[in-house]
Amino acid sequence: MEGPRREEIARIEDLTGRRPTGFRRAAGGYTPAERWVVALEGGDRVFAKIGVDSRTAGWLRDEHRAYTVLAAEFMPRLRGWDDGERPLLLLEDLSRCCWPPPWDGPGIDRVLDALAELRSADPGGALPPVGEFARELTGGWRRVAAEPEAFLSLGLATGRWLRDNAPALAAAEDEASIDGPFPAHLDVRSDNLCFRDGRAVLVDWNHAVVAHPDLDIAGWAPSLHAEGGPAPEEILPGAGPLAAVISGYFADRAGQPVIPTAPRVREVQLRQLRTALPWAARALGLPPLDGPASQPLTNGG
């Protein structure tokens, strides 16, 4: 029967006090970390994440830190942790919960409520400031303008459109405020949230930081719209600078070569760019995109 390594099965038993009786590899995820739904003796189940290299090990340690300092109803319940060369994180199994899309108004409101609860949480100074990641999160439009080939290969805009509008997008990025004292998830998307007992629950907390209170909503809005939800400005009006930051982040990455260990990442980035960039153009009063692939996605298509 397929399952984790024998020594990791023993670690799961030590952490839970119950013998594992079955394993199912969990679908999804964009990293090579192992993910298992583990059936335990007595009928209980847990979700196991296992770091397989130095990068995924570091992310799991960061995620565990978030669970220890933010434990709340908008997070999965922590079931166990064992550090080491291959860190093991055990969480409650949420696979039987409701995972969007499709979206409706109450579901969107539940996510906004969860993000408001997150902003009001006290991480006790244990989360890093978003400024530590500013080089990755900001400056995308300046990098695209300097080396435009990868972005232009996506077909969303012509070289002329980029030359005419990249300066305004870069200037708006410079104006954006991303710093702040509020806890933020920094990776809010439908595959990172579900609904449990009428509440939104966010998963994958390895990017948790303290940041501007609107940053999570700005990051979520493009994927929500791509899946048939409202336009970003309907849930976050007047956010042109943040729209420039989010669209610049994806514009700088979506056209880059496929990542061998995470081959679906570029596809997701392109999907979000296709809604984030028109949002930024509308919010900043720029002309519509003029590339052959610039038609907006609708109804999740």
Side-chain angles (χ1 to χ4, degrees), residues 188-189 215-227 229-236 246 272 275-276 279:
V188 181
R189 298 189 312 269
L215 190 56
D216 269 340
I217 299 175
W220 174 47
S223 66
L224 172 65
H225 187 42
E227 293 171 342
E233 53 265 45
E234 293 183 35
I235 62 170
L236 191 64
I246 300 302
Q272 300 209 99
T275 50
W279 171 34

Side-chain angles (χ1 to χ4, degrees), residues 203-257:
V203 304
D204 285 357
W205 286 86
N206 52 293
H207 297 306
V209 294
V210 290
H212 188 279
D214 290 336
L215 190 56
D216 269 340
I217 299 175
W220 174 47
S223 66
L224 172 65
H225 187 42
E227 293 171 342
E233 53 265 45
E234 293 183 35
I235 62 170
L236 191 64
L242 281 176
V245 169
I246 300 302
S247 62
Y249 176 86
F250 293 125
D252 184 36
R253 288 163 172 77
Q256 297 295 329

Side-chain angles (χ1 to χ4, degrees), residues 100-109 111-112 190 195 217 220-236 271-272 274-276 279 282 296-301:
W103 288 101
D104 59 19
I108 293 169
D109 289 342
V111 176
L112 293 173
S190 62
F195 299 108
I217 299 175
W220 174 47
S223 66
L224 172 65
H225 187 42
E227 293 171 342
E233 53 265 45
E234 293 183 35
I235 62 170
L236 191 64
R271 188 174 181 83
Q272 300 209 99
R274 290 188 66 182
T275 50
W279 171 34
R282 293 190 301 269
L297 298 173
T298 58
N299 296 323

Side-chain angles (χ1 to χ4, degrees), residues 59 62 65-66 70 74-75 111 114-115 118-119 127-138 177-180 182-193 202-223 242 245-246 249-250 253 268-269 272:
W59 284 337
D62 292 341
R65 175 184 60 198
L70 289 175
F74 52 72
M75 307 177 80
V111 176
L115 294 178
L118 171 59
R119 289 193 296 271
L127 297 181
V130 71
E132 291 187 11
F133 306 94
R135 281 188 65 182
E136 294 185 14
L137 187 60
T138 62
S177 175
I178 65 171
D179 295 313
F182 300 95
H185 181 277
L186 216 61
D187 200 16
V188 181
R189 298 189 312 269
S190 62
D191 54 318
N192 279 342
L193 63 91
L202 293 158
V203 304
D204 285 357
W205 286 86
N206 52 293
H207 297 306
V209 294
V210 290
H212 188 279
D214 290 336
L215 190 56
D216 269 340
I217 299 175
W220 174 47
S223 66
L242 281 176
V245 169
I246 300 302
Y249 176 86
F250 293 125
R253 288 163 172 77
V268 172
Q269 291 171 340
Q272 300 209 99

Side-chain angles (χ1 to χ4, degrees), residues 94-111:
L94 298 172
S95 58
R96 294 178 179 173
C97 292
C98 179
W99 293 76
W103 288 101
D104 59 19
I108 293 169
D109 289 342
R110 290 187 189 108
V111 176

Side-chain angles (χ1 to χ4, degrees), residues 34-246:
E34 291 187 24
R35 301 166 179 84
W36 299 94
V37 176
V38 183
L40 301 174
E41 193 173 37
D44 195 7
R45 302 192 309 178
V46 293
F47 178 64
K49 297 177 73 171
I50 303 169
V52 299
D53 54 25
S54 60
R55 196 171 195 188
T56 54
W59 284 337
L60 279 185
R61 294 183 185 109
D62 292 341
E63 184 169 4
H64 173 250
R65 175 184 60 198
Y67 288 119
T68 60
V69 302
L70 289 175
E73 287 300 308
F74 52 72
M75 307 177 80
R77 298 178 182 96
L78 179 64
R79 297 291 303 273
W81 167 251
D82 185 31
D83 205 342
E85 183 178 354
R86 287 168 59 95
L88 170 64
L89 179 68
L90 296 184
L91 303 169
E92 69 170 308
D93 173 39
L94 298 172
S95 58
R96 294 178 179 173
C97 292
C98 179
W99 293 76
W103 288 101
D104 59 19
I108 293 169
D109 289 342
R110 290 187 189 108
V111 176
L112 293 173
D113 288 345
L115 294 178
E117 289 182 49
L118 171 59
R119 289 193 296 271
S120 67
D122 180 9
L127 297 181
V130 71
E132 291 187 11
F133 306 94
R135 281 188 65 182
E136 294 185 14
L137 187 60
T138 62
W141 285 113
R142 296 194 186 281
R143 293 189 289 273
V144 168
E147 297 183 20
E149 292 80 10
F151 169 75
L152 293 176
S153 73
L154 301 172
L156 296 177
T158 63
R160 179 176 179 178
W161 188 96
L162 182 64
R163 287 192 299 273
D164 289 347
N165 297 291
L169 289 161
E173 274 192 288
D174 292 343
E175 295 174 9
S177 175
I178 65 171
D179 295 313
F182 300 95
H185 181 277
L186 216 61
D187 200 16
V188 181
R189 298 189 312 269
S190 62
D191 54 318
N192 279 342
L193 63 91
C194 65
F195 299 108
R196 178 192 63 200
D197 300 329
R199 299 175 60 97
V201 178
L202 293 158
V203 304
D204 285 357
W205 286 86
N206 52 293
H207 297 306
V209 294
V210 290
H212 188 279
D214 290 336
L215 190 56
D216 269 340
I217 299 175
W220 174 47
S223 66
L224 172 65
H225 187 42
E227 293 171 342
E233 53 265 45
E234 293 183 35
I235 62 170
L236 191 64
L242 281 176
V245 169
I246 300 302

Side-chain angles (χ1 to χ4, degrees), residues 259-270:
I259 303 169
T261 57
R264 295 188 297 131
V265 166
R266 300 304 185 208
E267 176 187 344
V268 172
Q269 291 171 340
L270 175 58

